[in-house]
Amino acid sequence: MHEKFFTTGEFAKMCNVEKHVLFHYDNIGLFKPAIINKNGYRYYSYDQYFTFCVILNLKSLGMSLKDIKIYLEHRNSSIFLKLLEEKSTQVAEEIKRFQDIQKTIDTMKLLTTEAMNSSNNIYLKSLPAEIILRSDNIEDSSNKNFANFMQEYTRFCNNLGITIQESVGSIISVNSLRKKNFTGFSYLYIKSDSFLEGKTVIRKPGIYLCAYFKGNYDDISHMYTKMLNYANENNIVLGDYSFEEYLISDIAEKEQDNYVTKLMIETLDTKKR
């Protein structure tokens, strides 16, 4: 045999693949030996090494074997350029997807760490302005309407390209709290990275009366009652709304008694006491 031809084993070793890969590619018509002698032995030419490298490169770009076969049969510079443009777009989308995943992981790590280090103290804290994507008012929503709303809300966020984090925050009016309606939500909200006119609003900066509640959400009334009493005892004038963030929920804890909710009630105070 001419020195520029190689056995299946030799060619597989050159290409750093197993022999069965060459057999499979032959069976599907993707990459056939240059010669099959009368005894059935396969031999590959030196030039085929470069064609096989093309296959490996296309596989590394995420192409299926079926698409590679079609490409090899029709390839030219124009088709190759179009292929690269398509793959560049796909890679950019994948990078964005992984960046969003990383951002969600980082956020959840911060929230979980904050919750694990939290205490039962009630305190005043200066909070910066925050951009939030807020729902329509849902104070009068029935359970059925609420479920429908959540579906639309999720679709709305996806259409805007806003990454939805593990939990959606809730906004409840101070008037509802004073009336002991501790689950009468006014809005749901998601934090956003950018302000979108007509879509997002600003949670105003200022002094907030804050606390962490650890336990089943059905018992959150106990912490809200303590916070209202604290405000009365310390002559703190409360604002319009309380913001809830669910730092630890069912994704992290099986037992609901270990859930942690962060409560932040607006005040009209201008400084900490």
Side-chain angles (χ1 to χ4, degrees), residues 1 10 30 33 46 71 100 123 147 165 171 173 175 238 242:
M1 184 65 61
E10 291 170 337
L30 173 61
Y46 173 78
Y71 173 78
D100 288 343
Y123 59 96
Q165 296 174 0
I171 304 174
S173 73
N175 284 336
L238 299 180
S242 174

Side-chain angles (χ1 to χ4, degrees), residues 139 172-183 228:
E139 290 179 1
I172 184 170
S173 73
V174 172
N175 284 336
S176 292
L177 297 178
R178 294 191 191 281
K179 294 176 183 177
K180 301 188 183 303
N181 182 11
F182 299 106
T183 57
L228 293 175

Side-chain angles (χ1 to χ4, degrees), residues 14-118:
M14 283 174 52
C15 299
N16 196 29
V17 297
E18 299 293 332
K19 288 197 296 184
H20 69 80
V21 173
L22 296 176
F23 294 146
H24 176 60
Y25 287 1
D26 183 12
N27 290 335
I28 64 175
L30 173 61
F31 187 76
K32 291 184 170 296
I35 297 174
I36 302 179
N37 68 17
K38 61 182 180 181
N39 295 323
Y41 291 109
R42 294 170 166 84
Y43 294 92
Y44 295 85
S45 71
Y46 173 78
D47 293 337
Q48 283 186 292
Y49 171 78
F50 300 101
T51 302
F52 194 81
C53 287
V54 171
I55 294 174
L56 295 180
N57 285 326
L58 294 177
K59 277 193 67 180
S60 71
L61 294 177
M63 287 184 69
S64 67
L65 296 181
K66 179 180 178 181
D67 289 340
I68 292 174
K69 181 180 178 182
I70 295 172
Y71 173 78
L72 290 177
E73 292 172 351
H74 301 91
R75 68 187 185 276
N76 59 41
S77 298
S78 297
I79 294 176
F80 181 59
L81 182 59
K82 182 180 179 181
L83 170 66
L84 292 177
E85 290 172 347
E86 291 175 351
K87 291 302 176 182
S88 179
T89 300
Q90 292 175 11
V91 169
E93 291 172 350
E94 280 295 289
I95 290 173
K96 175 64 166 57
R97 184 173 72 86
F98 279 108
Q99 287 175 335
D100 288 343
I101 292 173
Q102 184 64 60
K103 180 180 176 183
T104 298
I105 291 172
D106 291 343
T107 298
M108 293 171 72
K109 284 172 58 179
L110 287 172
L111 295 180
T112 304
T113 301
E114 178 183 355
M116 292 176 66
N117 293 329
S118 65

